[in-house]
């Protein structure tokens, strides 16, 4: 049974993401997801300047950018073409999509989001957006249409200059700044909306930069978005009544207020990043291996950081109710990332993959690509790592056996080594704590052994 399309939200509502949602809902018909045919053909909605169309034909990790609105493109400030999401400059508004598009694949529904971050120019940006799923076969989401609106907050210096200009325009009228929570600039209770409008039109430029320029938008009305409902002069003064919230509650997703693509500063933050990636992978692991590879790679990044902060790592393990394991040191780590209650077989496999990354010396961010290119994928890597460990175990047993025999042999001081004898010989020494090296004996008649050792020394000098 096919459900009826979701109702349109407020036909007279002008907020951009609500108009985008209504556009998406209007295309549904009796499908689960609208077809992207109109978007692909270039028949774009009127808010397309603030929109981007992503195509997932080659997997989820780095979707293609089929259409990019001029407003979003200009805000990115990219020097080259943006053909894939990976080409998007970090700390741009468009880069915020990377934190959300996997959610839409997992939830199979529109995702709304709003937050703030520090952009590449050091300015505080408030943004609000929505991601909308599209499908060519009505079964798998292979296109996402994202619509984002944003504004730049004025800094305190600009705010002070603006209030000074207003005060000068009003003559001797006292100006007592009062900040409204969430506002761009303080507003004096002694200044009327008409006075403010006159001051702005005569001497002051708007200090809030919007992503769209609608003719009936009042730039002084802080807290109102560029495409928000029309504000009249009487409405511009602050009141104690909160703004009517955007009703996207069925699919809103809050985001922490942090810079985009911020590098974690503490081991706990590295763990948070790894856990978030693992959650996205678990939500879509039946759909793609790439998300799983990304999660394991994030776990490896966390492991590298843990190596440099063993005390912090031990504390995180203890706080999670886990114990460090000498024989399997990576098991607690993958439990921290994927959860202690996760399938034990998979935890063991992921720990084995991390062990292989350590064996071959992979760096941060390198494991995902290594897994993607490895013939046979994770299973083949696990098999190779286990085979290497079995070889190490056999070598360790043999090493312990001959070392025990050597310790039982008598030793002599190195000074007793005869001055006369063969030109070349091997001398086996034993070093013990607190004493001088001693000699077990010499070998001068094993040509094969002498040749092998000679090659060993020769190779060392060549390297």
């Amino acid at each position: 049974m096919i459900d009826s399309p979701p109702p349109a939200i407020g036909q007279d509502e002008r907020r951009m993401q609500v108009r985008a949602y209504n556009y998406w809902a209007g295309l549904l018909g009796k499908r689960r997801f609208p077809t992207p045919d109109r978007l692909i053909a270039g028949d774009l909605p009127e808010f397309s300047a603030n929109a981007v169309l992503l195509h997932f034909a080659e997997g989820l990790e780095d979707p293609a950018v089929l259409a990019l609105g001029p407003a979003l493109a200009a805000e990115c400030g990219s020097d080259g073409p943006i053909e894939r999401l990976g080409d998007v400059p970090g700390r741009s508004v468009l880069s915020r999509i990377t934190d959300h598009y996997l959610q839409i694949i997992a939830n199979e529904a529109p995702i709304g989001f709003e937050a703030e971050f520090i952009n590449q120019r050091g300015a505080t940006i408030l943004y609000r957006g929505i991601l909308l799923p599209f499908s060519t076969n009505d079964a798998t989401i292979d296109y996402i249409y994202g619509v984002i609106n944003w504004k730049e907050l004025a800094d305190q210096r600009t705010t002070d200059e603006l209030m000074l200009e207003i005060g000068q325009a009003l003559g001797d009228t006292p100006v007592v700044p009062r900040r409204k929570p969430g506002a761009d600039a303080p507003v004096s209770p002694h200044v009327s909306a008409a006075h403010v409008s006159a001051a702005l039109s005569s001497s002051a430029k708007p200090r809030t930069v919007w992503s769209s320029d609608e003719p009936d938008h009042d730039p002084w009305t802080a807290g109102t978005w560029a495409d928000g409902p029309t504000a009249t002069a009487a409405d511009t003064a602050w009141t104690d009544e909160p703004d009517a919230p955007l009703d996207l509650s069925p699919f809103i997703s809050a985001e922490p207020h942090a810079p985009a693509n911020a590098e974690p500063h503490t081991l706990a933050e590295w763990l948070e990043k790894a856990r978030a990636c693992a959650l996205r992978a678990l939500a879509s692991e039946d759909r793609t291996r790439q998300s799983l590879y990304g999660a394991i790679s994030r776990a490896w990044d966390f492991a590298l950081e843990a190596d440099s902060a063993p005390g912090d790592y031990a504390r995180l393990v203890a706080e999670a109710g886990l114990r460090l394991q000498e024989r399997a040191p990576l098991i607690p780590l993958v439990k921290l990332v994927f959860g202690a209650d996760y399938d034990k077989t998979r935890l063991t496999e992921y720990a084995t993959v991390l062990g292989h990354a350590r064996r071959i010396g992979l760096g941060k961010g390198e494991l995902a690509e290594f897994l993607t290119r490895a013939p046979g994928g994770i299973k083949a890597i696990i098999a190779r790592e286990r085979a290497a460990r079995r070889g190490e175990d056999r070598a360790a047993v043999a090493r312990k056996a001959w070392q025990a025999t050597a310790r039982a042999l008598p030793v002599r001081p190195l000074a007793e080594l005869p001055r006369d004898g063969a030109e070349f010989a091997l001398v086996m020494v034993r070093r013990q704590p607190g004493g001088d090296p001693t000699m077990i004996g010499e070998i001068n008649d094993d040509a094969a052994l002498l040749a092998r050792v000679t090659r060993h020394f020769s190779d060392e000098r060549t390297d």
Side-chain angles (χ1 to χ4, degrees):
M1 178 179 178
I2 299 177
D3 296 334
S4 58
I9 303 177
Q11 296 293 345
D12 58 345
E13 173 60 82
R14 296 179 59 253
R15 286 183 178 175
M16 187 177 292
Q17 71 272 37
V18 175
R19 284 183 283 144
Y21 177 83
N22 289 343
Y23 169 80
W24 177 85
L27 298 177
L28 272 177
K30 295 184 178 181
R31 294 171 56 94
R32 291 178 62 207
F33 309 108
T35 175
D37 292 349
R38 289 178 59 177
L39 297 175
I40 296 173
D43 184 9
L44 303 177
E46 42 87 17
F47 44 79
S48 60
N50 286 54
V52 59
L53 178 62
L54 304 178
H55 186 206
F56 296 86
E58 300 177 10
L60 297 180
E61 282 300 300
D62 191 18
V65 177
L66 296 190
L68 178 60
L72 273 178
E75 196 281 336
C76 285
S78 177
D79 295 331
I82 298 178
E83 298 177 348
R84 310 196 73 84
L85 199 56
D87 299 330
V88 175
R91 299 176 66 187
S92 63
V93 171
L94 186 56
S95 71
R96 309 306 289 165
I97 284 184
T98 59
D99 295 332
H100 299 286
Y101 74 83
L102 288 176
Q103 298 177 29
I104 202 172
I105 300 295
N107 297 337
E108 298 186 339
I111 294 291
F113 52 91
E114 54 185 0
E116 70 180 56
F117 76 108
I118 307 298
N119 72 1
Q120 65 269 43
R121 294 175 289 275
T124 300
I125 302 296
L126 303 184
Y127 67 93
R128 177 188 290 134
I130 187 170
L131 299 180
L132 304 164
F134 287 77
S135 174
T136 53
N137 59 12
D138 205 25
T140 303
I141 298 173
D142 49 4
Y143 291 84
I144 288 179
Y145 198 53
V147 181
I148 309 177
N149 194 29
W150 67 94
K151 68 176 181 178
E152 178 179 322
L153 289 185
D155 57 25
Q156 188 60 48
R157 179 178 178 180
T158 303
T159 298
D160 293 342
E161 292 175 355
L162 178 62
M163 294 307 300
L164 178 61
E165 292 173 3
I166 293 175
Q168 293 172 345
L170 298 178
D172 295 330
T173 304
V175 178
V176 182
R178 174 173 62 89
R179 183 172 291 279
K180 178 77 174 182
D184 293 358
V187 180
S188 168
H190 303 285
V191 181
S192 69
H195 287 155
V196 171
S197 178
L200 286 173
S201 61
S202 62
S203 61
K205 297 179 181 180
R207 271 17 181 225
T208 301
V209 181
W210 299 93
S211 64
S212 60
D213 187 16
E214 302 204 11
D216 56 357
H217 172 62
D218 180 359
W220 174 253
T221 312
T224 304
W225 293 84
D227 54 342
T230 303
T232 64
D235 294 329
T236 56
W238 282 113
T239 68
D240 292 330
E241 294 298 323
D243 293 336
L246 175 66
D247 187 15
L248 294 177
S249 54
F251 46 88
I252 192 73
S253 173
E255 178 185 6
H257 293 191
N261 299 328
E263 179 86 352
H265 297 293
T266 66
L267 188 61
E269 291 177 358
W270 280 100
L271 177 57
E272 282 186 21
K273 285 269 189 179
R275 282 175 170 169
C277 198
L279 286 174
R280 290 195 295 267
L282 297 181
S284 61
E285 62 182 347
D286 291 333
R287 298 172 179 272
T288 174
R289 295 178 182 176
Q290 294 302 319
S291 57
L292 177 60
Y293 292 172
I296 297 175
S297 185
R298 277 290 190 182
W300 173 236
D301 295 346
F302 171 61
L304 291 174
E305 285 296 315
D307 289 343
S308 61
D312 292 341
Y313 174 62
R315 178 179 54 81
L316 290 174
V317 171
E319 289 175 353
L322 303 173
R323 292 184 301 173
L324 298 174
Q325 301 179 26
E326 183 177 354
R327 289 183 57 84
L330 290 171
I331 289 293
L333 188 141
V334 294
K335 285 183 177 180
L336 281 176
V337 174
F338 290 90
D341 296 331
Y342 193 55
D343 182 82
K344 288 182 172 54
T345 300
R346 291 195 175 186
L347 288 176
T348 302
E349 290 178 344
Y350 300 164
T352 303
V353 172
L354 299 188
H356 190 72
R358 174 162 291 164
R359 178 188 300 278
I360 63 177
L362 292 180
K364 286 181 184 175
E366 297 178 354
L367 182 53
E369 183 178 359
F370 174 78
L371 294 174
T372 301
R373 296 185 176 183
I378 285 181
K379 295 298 183 182
I381 291 173
I382 291 172
R384 289 200 298 272
E385 178 63 17
R386 287 174 175 170
R389 290 181 183 178
R390 285 193 297 269
E392 286 182 350
D393 291 342
R394 288 193 292 268
V397 171
R399 182 170 59 252
K400 289 182 179 180
W402 70 255
Q403 286 177 348
T405 302
R407 292 188 183 101
L409 295 174
V411 296
R412 293 178 293 163
L414 278 173
E416 294 183 8
L417 183 66
R419 296 177 61 87
D420 300 327
E423 179 182 4
F424 298 104
L426 294 178
V427 178
M428 186 173 187
V429 302
R430 182 181 180 190
R431 296 183 177 90
Q432 294 177 280
D436 294 331
T438 55
M439 177 180 62
I440 295 177
E442 68 171 314
I443 300 174
N444 57 30
D445 57 355
D446 189 332
L449 178 59
L450 291 171
R452 188 173 66 191
V453 172
T454 300
R455 287 194 300 271
H456 175 79
F457 289 139
S458 177
D459 291 343
E460 279 190 344
R461 291 197 175 189
T462 302
D463 294 340

